[in-house]
Amino acid sequence: MRLRNKPWAKDYITEQAHIVESDPAAWKGSWQEKFPSEQPLYVEVGSGKGRFVNELAQQNPQVNVIGIEMSESVIVSGVEKAVEEAKSNLILLQEDVNYLTDFFEKGEIDRLYINFTDPWPKNRHAKRRLTHEGFLQKYEEVIKREAEIHFKTDNQGLFEYSLESLTSYGFQLQNVSLNLHESGMKNNIMTEYEEKFFRKGMRIYRLEARLHHNE
């Protein structure tokens, strides 16, 4: 899908410095100081247009939320939502997830979300998948010992790949759903893509993963 260029986005994002942190590396290990209250820190990688992180922050004032999205023309939609709803427990980062460990200290994140990421279906692009071993290594470094990773996708191939990748790495899976919207799960927050796929009658796959540590 070709992204629509928004020439005004850069200036708009810069003006919202209270929402979009321009120097995340400077806050590595001290993100709680950026929020009004010290609370569990939830992070979504690849937050797209920001519907999920905005609703997550709104429905859960008892947690602090950070959304990471690299594309300027995409993240600006999430910034607009945050401005309209004025949530103090939400920060957005216009950054590349590849540099996650530059922004967060070891064990700083309480929960990580991966929603409807690009499946990169060709084998030669496997390292770009956000559930590839290379990314799992980064997640292991920044999440707390008992933290969970929550993953959703409409892509069966990516889901099957992720099941294997996560279990091979040592994650224990729970609440695995092959058809989320028929599972009876409550309090599910939909992303823009999820609503689109759901309206088309497509299956949504979901899992939760917790890293198993050998004592």
Side-chain angles (χ1 to χ4, degrees), residues 188-205:
N188 175 55
I189 299 174
M190 286 202 285
T191 73
E192 291 89 353
Y193 279 117
E194 182 173 357
E195 183 172 17
K196 176 182 176 181
F197 298 141
F198 171 66
R199 291 185 181 280
K200 290 182 176 180
M202 297 170 63
R203 285 192 178 200
I204 304 300
Y205 303 89

Side-chain angles (χ1 to χ4, degrees), residues 115-119 151-159 193-194 197-198 202-206:
N115 294 316
F116 298 90
T117 179
D118 192 326
F151 173 68
K152 288 194 291 186
T153 182
D154 65 297
N155 189 285
Q156 182 178 350
L158 177 62
F159 191 71
Y193 279 117
E194 182 173 357
F197 298 141
F198 171 66
M202 297 170 63
R203 285 192 178 200
I204 304 300
Y205 303 89
R206 181 184 182 276

Side-chain angles (χ1 to χ4, degrees), residues 1 4-5 13 40 47 55 67 76 92 114 123 129 131-133 138 153 156 161 172-173 177 187 198 212 215:
M1 180 180 69
R4 182 181 301 173
N5 183 41
I13 291 170
S47 55
E55 292 194 22
V76 70
L92 298 175
I114 309 170
N123 289 334
R129 299 169 189 161
T131 51
H132 182 270
E133 179 184 3
K138 299 178 192 295
T153 182
Q156 182 178 350
Y161 170 86
Q172 292 182 327
L173 306 184
S177 176
N187 303 318
F198 171 66
H212 175 66
E215 300 296 341

